[in-house]
Amino acid sequence: MEVVVYRYGHRIARDKRITTHVALVARAFGADGIVIDTEDDKIEESVRSVNARFGGDFFIKTGIPWRKYFNEWDGRIAHLTMYGERVDEVMDDIRRNKKLLIVVGSEKVPGDFYRIADYNVAIGNQPHSEVAALAIFLHFLTKGAWLDKKFDGIMEILPSKHGKKIKYNYIKMLRLAGCSEGVIKHCMKVAKLAVEIARRIKENGHNVDVEAVEAGAMLHDIGRAKTHGIMHIIEGVKIASRYGMPKKVLNIIERHGGAGIDEEEAIKLGLPKKDYSPIAIEEKIVAHADNLVGNGYRSVEDVARIWEKKIGEKAVRKLLKLHNELSKLAGIDINEIVKRLKEN
Ligand code: SAM
């Protein structure tokens, strides 16, 4: 069944929050879209930003006068009001329709609504809220099936007894940002190595946030959707912060250039003046894993040979220092990890 919600009487200043909640409830509880009488760019933007992060193709239209919209609607109309019929008594009939427009009001709705509506439905005969009325109506309508609706977004909240559990779909983020398949493949390779290094370091008794390493490694080159120049690290931070990535991950993206770009080098490269050297262990791991991925995985000596000619001695010194530091923390030469990944 195609289900659209119509929100009547939206007053931009007063109903900002409540109308946003009507829209979010409509989206979460299984409606296909919402139409709002008053034009409101802000609400459109916040609903679209929820779609961008959490997925789905829920639509929103604002500035659509009710009379014309109701007249052109070629399905049935259910108006939610405390004066209506009991929801449990009319729902079987409502479910038989192919298209349903659910109308919710604000303070007072025009008397015409009661006549135009095919169903006036009460969620109990006490006054309460359009948000609650809509949620319970959709729960009845879908017989609870909204609970299993898949949104397939770049992030998914996993049910958890304690604390937050969020699963991110990094490949989807990279695609959505506009990265090429080549960049995506590279990020996957870097992530595989970075996570392996992080695990080794953790097993060796050091504190490492393996999830942040995975996120940072998968997204380190997301800025390449905009440019392949060094500015991709700045663009990457901008894109990833729009996707709600935490500061820890943004820092990994910003500090993954070479084996660290100091302030002096940053100025020469045309980056905004500051030090971009990796500081946290997670930042060092991703920067180094990135160095060890060319067309395939490669040893630090191979990278050093290339850098010596192309970038210079200072960069090579930093590369080897980083390699030794991480190898010591991992209790194994990182080249060994590279070799094993290469063999698999
Ligand atoms: N007197 C109004 C009415 O018709 O229900 C109450 C206004 S209420 C603040 C805003 C909206 O919430 C109403 O337009 C209606 O859509 C919805 N609503 C409130 N209580 C409801 C109830 N018991 N059953 C169904 N809808 C309700």
Side-chain angles (χ1 to χ4, degrees):
M1 181 195 277
E2 184 186 335
V3 178
V4 175
V5 172
Y6 189 91
R7 163 63 160 162
Y8 170 81
H10 170 61
R11 294 148 297 181
I12 294 182
R14 234 193 96 165
D15 299 327
K16 197 173 112 191
R17 260 173 68 80
I18 193 124
T19 304
T20 306
H21 287 187
V22 169
L24 294 182
V25 161
R27 176 184 172 277
F29 286 61
D32 298 289
I34 188 165
V35 177
I36 300 172
D37 54 358
T38 314
E39 189 175 340
D40 190 333
D41 295 346
K42 289 241 168 70
I43 288 192
E44 288 198 17
E45 202 183 300
S46 46
V47 168
R48 292 205 178 105
S49 117
V50 170
N51 281 347
R53 281 174 292 143
F54 292 92
D57 49 10
F58 183 80
F59 73 82
I60 176 160
K61 286 183 196 155
T62 70
I64 313 284
W66 69 269
R67 204 180 284 278
K68 188 165 184 285
Y69 194 78
F70 288 12
N71 279 342
E72 285 169 8
W73 179 257
D74 58 350
R76 294 296 178 98
I77 298 180
H79 167 221
L80 305 194
T81 166
M82 67 174 174
Y83 305 107
E85 298 177 277
R86 280 177 63 127
V87 63
D88 51 342
E89 286 176 2
V90 285
M91 197 46 91
D92 282 344
D93 191 21
I94 292 177
R95 267 196 223 101
R96 282 192 204 108
N97 296 298
K98 282 209 175 85
K99 274 183 91 170
L100 187 68
L101 184 68
I102 306 167
V103 179
V104 291
S106 53
E107 231 163 16
K108 205 172 187 321
V109 302
D112 279 3
F113 279 22
Y114 294 88
R115 192 180 42 79
I116 293 169
D118 299 287
Y119 310 94
N120 286 292
V121 185
I123 311 294
N125 295 105
Q126 300 297 318
H128 50 83
S129 139
E130 49 271 50
V131 177
L134 179 62
I136 291 182
F137 181 88
L138 287 170
H139 184 71
F140 268 96
L141 182 71
T142 62
K143 292 186 181 167
W146 66 273
L147 270 165
D148 296 314
K149 184 171 169 142
K150 292 273 169 273
F151 286 87
D152 194 24
I154 57 173
M155 63 190 276
E156 186 187 346
I157 313 286
L158 303 178
S160 152
K161 199 163 177 173
H162 300 289
K164 295 180 187 173
K165 259 198 183 163
I166 305 173
K167 200 172 112 193
Y168 291 99
N169 188 334
Y170 301 115
I171 296 180
K172 202 163 194 149
M173 278 188 210
L174 292 165
R175 282 214 178 103
L176 210 67
C179 289
S180 69
E181 289 306 306
V183 167
I184 295 173
K185 259 194 199 140
H186 166 80
C187 290
M188 288 166 76
K189 268 191 200 147
V190 172
K192 207 168 173 189
L193 175 57
V195 166
E196 200 46 44
I197 298 172
R199 275 207 200 108
R200 290 294 189 125
I201 294 179
K202 199 170 179 181
E203 278 162 22
N204 209 27
H206 302 282
N207 206 2
V208 186
D209 184 342
V210 182
E211 275 176 29
V213 167
E214 188 190 9
M218 282 301 293
L219 301 178
H220 75 283
D221 268 351
I222 195 162
R224 287 186 186 270
K226 291 268 174 293
T227 171
H228 286 288
I230 191 60
M231 289 302 276
H232 78 273
I233 65 178
I234 309 286
E235 292 297 333
V237 171
K238 280 191 213 158
I239 300 170
S241 66
R242 275 208 296 279
Y243 288 151
M245 286 293 113
K247 185 86 180 118
K248 211 173 191 176
V249 175
L250 301 183
N251 284 345
I252 296 176
I253 298 172
E254 192 175 74
R255 299 175 183 158
H256 83 267
I261 299 171
D262 61 30
E263 198 171 307
E264 196 188 318
E265 292 162 327
I267 297 167
K268 275 189 207 154
L269 289 168
L271 282 164
K273 187 181 164 192
K274 72 173 182 185
D275 195 334
Y276 296 83
S277 306
I279 302 165
I281 180 77
E282 293 81 7
E283 293 159 21
K284 291 181 180 178
I285 293 170
V286 174
H288 197 51
D290 187 30
N291 293 335
L292 300 181
V293 175
N295 281 333
Y297 295 112
R298 53 198 187 171
S299 73
V300 75
E301 289 77 19
D302 285 346
V303 181
R305 264 193 295 277
I306 300 167
W307 282 24
E308 210 159 3
K309 284 187 211 137
K310 267 181 139 175
I311 318 178
E313 224 175 274
K314 184 176 164 190
V316 173
R317 267 202 310 278
K318 282 203 234 177
L319 172 78
L320 297 176
K321 187 169 169 248
L322 192 54
H323 185 85
N324 292 338
E325 184 186 339
L326 293 175
S327 296
K328 207 166 162 196
L329 288 170
I332 178 177
D333 188 332
I334 304 294
N335 275 339
E336 282 303 312
I337 301 176
V338 170
K339 214 167 117 193
R340 273 172 222 173
L341 282 186
K342 228 174 168 175
E343 284 161 9
N344 285 331

